[in-house]
Amino acid sequence: MSNKAVNRGKNKQASSTSRILTVPVLAIAGCLATILPNTAIAASYNNDYSVCAGRLLSVGVTAEAASLGCAAALRPRDLAACVVKIDKETQIAATDALSSCGRARRPEELATCVVGVSLSTKEEANPAVLDYCGRSLLPVRFGQCVVGLRSQIDFPATQALDTCISADDSVIGASSSSTPPTIIPAGSSPSLETTPFPTQPSVPTQPIVPTQPVIPTQPIVPTQPGTTN
């Protein structure tokens, strides 16, 4: 009996110890469950917009302009990359590039166009290059056009810009107005839709008017022989 009493005491002591240890663990787990989602949300905000604002501020863009530009950008990182690249590799100021990079559908392609054309024209038309590349819907193609023509033909930079922007507009207009041909898979025959010939409208016949009934005549009564009228 003494051994059983000792074992019962040990079990009670162990269970009370486990309860004491379990309560703090549950409390810590609850705190972590509350803190971790907030931490994840805070980390998500420290991403594209933070990088964008920081890079714009580093090249001299004002805090107000950087906040407005990054907040309105669909891809804040691309916007900042466009502005920084133009500022570092051309004579165009970051404050001037911010507006064009913000309007561009593909800011990085715009920066590639501006830098390439500026190097080709030897900075002869800095503000114009930014305007032309911003007007083109295919800025990389436009930049290649200007650089390629000037590498073989000696004419002013403004003439090359005008020539390539005109060709750019023509190509875009032709591609948007043309209709792609209909492709029929091999082994299949196109279904021919037959148009039925219109039938002649049926002319309604005149209604049949019933004839008057024939009234029978009175029977002829034979006269008696030997009688006279």
Side-chain angles (χ1 to χ4, degrees):
M1 294 296 292
S2 60
N3 291 333
K4 291 182 179 180
V6 171
N7 291 333
R8 288 175 182 173
K10 289 182 180 180
N11 292 335
K12 289 181 180 179
Q13 184 178 1
S15 61
S16 61
T17 304
S18 63
R19 290 194 190 97
I20 294 172
L21 294 176
T22 304
V23 172
V25 171
L26 293 176
I28 294 172
C31 293
L32 289 176
T34 306
I35 294 172
L36 288 178
N38 295 333
T39 305
I41 293 173
S44 68
Y45 286 136
N46 188 20
N47 196 352
D48 291 350
Y49 296 97
S50 175
V51 172
C52 175
R55 297 194 69 183
L56 291 182
L57 292 174
S58 68
V59 291
V61 178
T62 64
E64 183 180 2
S67 61
L68 292 175
C70 293
L74 183 61
R75 299 180 181 86
R77 286 180 183 265
D78 293 350
L79 170 69
C82 175
V83 174
V84 171
K85 184 173 183 177
I86 294 174
D87 179 78
K88 298 293 186 183
E89 300 183 30
T90 70
Q91 298 299 318
I92 301 174
T95 52
D96 296 331
L98 178 59
S99 178
S100 296
C101 290
R103 292 194 304 266
R105 294 187 303 168
R106 299 180 179 88
E108 291 183 334
E109 293 186 8
L110 173 70
T112 301
C113 174
V114 172
V115 172
V117 174
S118 296
L119 295 176
S120 172
T121 58
K122 298 178 181 179
E123 305 293 345
E124 295 175 14
N126 252 332
V129 170
L130 186 62
D131 177 64
Y132 275 89
C133 289
R135 286 167 51 191
S136 174
L137 295 178
L138 303 171
V140 173
R141 179 190 178 280
F142 172 76
Q144 291 173 347
C145 175
V146 175
V147 173
L149 293 182
R150 282 181 57 82
S151 66
Q152 301 295 327
I153 303 172
D154 184 16
F155 55 15
T158 53
Q159 184 176 350
L161 294 171
D162 289 333
T163 302
C164 290
I165 199 66
S166 298
D168 192 43
D169 294 338
S170 301
V171 169
I172 294 171
S175 62
S176 61
S177 61
S178 59
T179 332
T182 303
I183 300 176
I184 301 173
S188 63
S189 58
S191 59
L192 299 178
E193 296 183 358
T194 58
T195 305
F197 292 99
T199 57
Q200 295 292 334
S202 58
V203 180
T205 58
Q206 295 294 329
I208 301 174
V209 180
T211 57
Q212 295 294 329
V214 179
I215 301 173
T217 57
Q218 293 294 328
I220 299 173
V221 179
T223 58
Q224 293 294 328
T227 61
T228 59
N229 294 332

